[in-house]
């Protein structure tokens, strides 16, 4: 789930934890006419209809036709060969939500998400949130049919809304729905690969430059970094740094402020990396366990992506 912004009616409890006051993300109205956005929606509609053709199921609207779990149930059985012990037809809201919950739990297990943040949940899907629905379908397609030619480089502008004690804080952000077609290929060597291969004597200079940059950004939080390897390993300072630089209000309830286990650290770092990918600060995906395991090159690469974007601002 994206903690920076979630979509849905502000009067509804949109999170499974049923906590009000969470950040919301709403699609910019102008994006409804965006050609790439419409192409992705139509591609997914055609894909589902093709997969479920023998069952005489026809999807016309992703938001209206998928929210109750019926079509998701059939789609998961077809593409994942997964049989679920749920009712075929559910008429009441409570039964529909119960069925949808079983389906989404199975999806989480299939995608091996564990406790990692998701960009969808039961409430968002049931409330017909188009962004959450698209993220779910793209994830299913990439998991079960990795060769499916999803429209690449689809991103949309969203309105971020955060309730505060003094009123509603709003902003804008970019939500990435699909990456580039060659995203899964081996990333090319970058400056940090060359630095660690050929210029080991310069690593300390780069580390110090990143330390100076980070401390300059965190001065208002009364935080000081002296050791990049260890202090970024749990994801807390990285999340606070991203919040400072990117202008996010990251709700403290969405991450572990004092992580005790490796799993909690991985969750924090995964959340931070998702924010950087969504904001197009990072060009290539990063394995969160490398940062948790104090891999200096990976940590420097992530910090440099922020430095490169904000050092001149």
């Amino acid at each position: 789930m994206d903690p920076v912004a979630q979509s849905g009616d502000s009067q509804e409890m949109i999170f499974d934890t049923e906590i009000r006051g969470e950040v919301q993300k709403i699609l910019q109205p102008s994006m409804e006419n965006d050609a790439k956005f419409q192409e992705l929606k139509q591609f997914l509609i055609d894909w589902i209809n093709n997969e479920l053709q023998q069952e005489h199921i026809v999807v016309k609207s992703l938001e209206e036709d998928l929210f109750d779990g019926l079509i998701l149930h059939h789609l998961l059985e077809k593409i994942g060969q997964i049989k679920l012990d749920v009712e075929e037809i559910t008429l009441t809201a409570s039964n529909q939500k119960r069925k949808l919950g079983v389906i989404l739990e199975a999806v989480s297990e299939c995608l091996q998400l564990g406790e990692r943040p998701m960009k969808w949940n039961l409430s968002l899907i049931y409330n017909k949130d188009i962004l959450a629905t698209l993220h779910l379908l793209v994830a299913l397609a990439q998991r079960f049919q990795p060769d499916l030619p999803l429209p690449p480089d689809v991103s949309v502008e969203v309105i971020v809304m955060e309730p505060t004690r003094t009123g509603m804080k709003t902003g804008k952000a970019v939500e990435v729905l699909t990456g580039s077609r060659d995203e899964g290929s081996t990333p090319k060597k970058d400056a940090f690969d060359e630095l660690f291969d050929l210029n080991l004597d310069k690593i300390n200079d780069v580390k110090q430059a990143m330390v100076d940059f980070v401390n300059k950004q965190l001065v208002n939080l009364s935080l000081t970094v002296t050791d990049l390897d260890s202090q970024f390993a749990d994801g807390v300072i990285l999340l606070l740094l991203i919040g400072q630089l990117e202008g996010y209000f990251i709700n403290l309830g969405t991450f572990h402020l004092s992580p005790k286990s490796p799993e909690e650290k991985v969750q924090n770092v995964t959340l931070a990396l998702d924010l950087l990918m969504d904001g197009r600060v990072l060009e290539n995906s990063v394995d969160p366990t490398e940062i948790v395991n104090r891999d200096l090159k990976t940590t420097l690469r992530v910090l440099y992506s922020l430095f490169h974007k904000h050092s001149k601002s």
Side-chain angles (χ1 to χ4, degrees):
M1 182 191 307
D2 186 349
V4 176
Q6 296 293 333
S7 54
D9 187 345
S10 61
Q11 300 301 314
E12 296 290 332
M13 292 182 288
I14 61 173
F15 283 78
D16 289 340
T17 50
E18 296 192 347
I19 298 176
R20 294 183 183 273
E22 294 285 357
V23 182
Q24 300 175 46
K25 184 174 1 178
I26 301 174
L27 185 71
Q28 284 274 22
S30 60
M31 295 307 302
E32 287 288 355
N33 298 320
D34 181 79
K36 284 191 172 183
F37 179 67
Q38 290 298 328
E39 180 187 7
L40 177 61
K41 289 178 64 177
Q42 189 58 51
F43 181 93
L44 292 171
I45 288 174
D46 293 341
W47 171 58
I48 295 172
N49 287 337
N50 181 64
E51 291 294 332
L52 303 181
Q53 183 176 11
Q54 293 185 351
E55 299 180 49
H56 305 290
I57 291 177
V58 177
V59 171
K60 295 182 179 180
S61 167
L62 296 178
E63 306 98 300
E64 298 295 332
D65 294 343
L66 272 67
F67 80 97
D68 63 357
L70 174 63
I71 291 175
L72 284 174
H73 176 202
H74 284 269
L75 181 64
L76 194 59
E77 286 192 342
K78 176 64 166 54
I79 65 176
Q81 301 300 307
I82 298 171
K83 300 295 182 181
L84 299 176
D85 185 17
V86 293
E87 299 176 69
E88 176 67 19
I89 303 295
T90 51
L91 300 179
T92 66
S94 59
N95 287 339
Q96 290 173 345
K97 290 180 179 179
R98 188 178 302 110
K99 176 178 180 177
L100 183 59
V102 173
I103 294 169
L104 294 182
E105 183 178 353
V107 169
S108 178
E109 293 177 359
C110 292
L111 299 180
Q112 299 180 334
L113 295 174
E115 297 298 324
R116 283 183 291 166
M118 294 182 293
K119 296 183 178 181
W120 63 84
N121 63 28
L122 188 154
S123 297
L124 290 173
I125 299 298
Y126 192 79
N127 287 331
K128 306 178 183 181
D129 183 283
I130 185 58
L131 295 177
T133 303
L134 288 173
H135 278 303
L136 172 60
L137 292 174
V138 168
L140 287 173
Q142 291 174 334
R143 167 62 177 85
F144 294 108
Q145 297 184 4
D147 295 329
L148 192 70
L150 288 166
D153 302 314
V154 180
S155 60
V156 293
E157 295 180 1
V158 296
I159 301 171
V160 179
M161 303 177 63
E162 167 65 24
T164 67
R165 292 180 179 178
T166 58
M168 185 69 71
K169 178 182 177 181
T170 61
K172 296 181 180 180
V174 175
E175 180 84 354
V176 178
L177 297 173
T178 65
S180 58
R181 284 245 167 93
D182 58 356
E183 197 174 60
S185 60
T186 302
K188 296 179 180 178
K189 278 197 170 186
D190 62 11
F192 286 101
D193 293 310
E194 297 177 3
L195 175 67
F196 277 72
D197 289 344
L198 304 174
N199 299 289
L200 296 179
D201 57 322
K202 295 184 179 180
I203 293 177
N204 287 333
D205 293 337
V206 176
K207 285 179 63 176
Q208 189 57 52
M210 291 299 100
V211 167
D212 292 342
F213 168 71
V214 169
N215 284 334
K216 181 180 179 181
Q217 309 306 319
L218 296 179
V219 64
N220 292 334
L221 300 179
S222 300
L223 295 174
T224 301
V225 170
T226 57
D227 185 354
L228 294 181
D229 308 46
S230 62
Q231 287 183 269
F232 280 88
D234 63 7
V236 174
I237 291 182
L238 180 56
L239 282 166
L240 296 176
L241 177 64
I242 293 170
Q244 287 289 105
L245 289 169
E246 295 291 298
Y248 293 151
F249 177 83
I250 303 179
N251 193 303
L252 296 181
T254 61
F255 67 96
H256 304 281
L257 193 57
S258 300
K260 300 292 191 300
S261 66
E263 290 77 12
E264 291 180 347
K265 295 178 182 180
V266 170
Q267 290 169 29
N268 281 354
V269 175
T270 299
L271 172 56
L273 296 176
D274 283 347
L275 294 177
L276 293 178
M277 289 295 291
D278 286 350
R280 295 187 171 181
V281 178
L282 281 176
E283 294 183 359
N284 297 306
S285 60
V286 173
D287 184 348
T289 60
E290 292 182 1
I291 294 179
V292 174
N293 292 329
R294 305 185 181 188
D295 184 279
L296 178 59
K297 180 164 63 174
T298 301
T299 303
L300 284 175
R301 182 180 285 116
V302 170
L303 292 176
Y304 182 77
S305 68
L306 284 164
F307 172 81
H308 180 71
K309 178 178 180 181
H310 294 282
S311 60
K312 297 181 181 181
S313 60

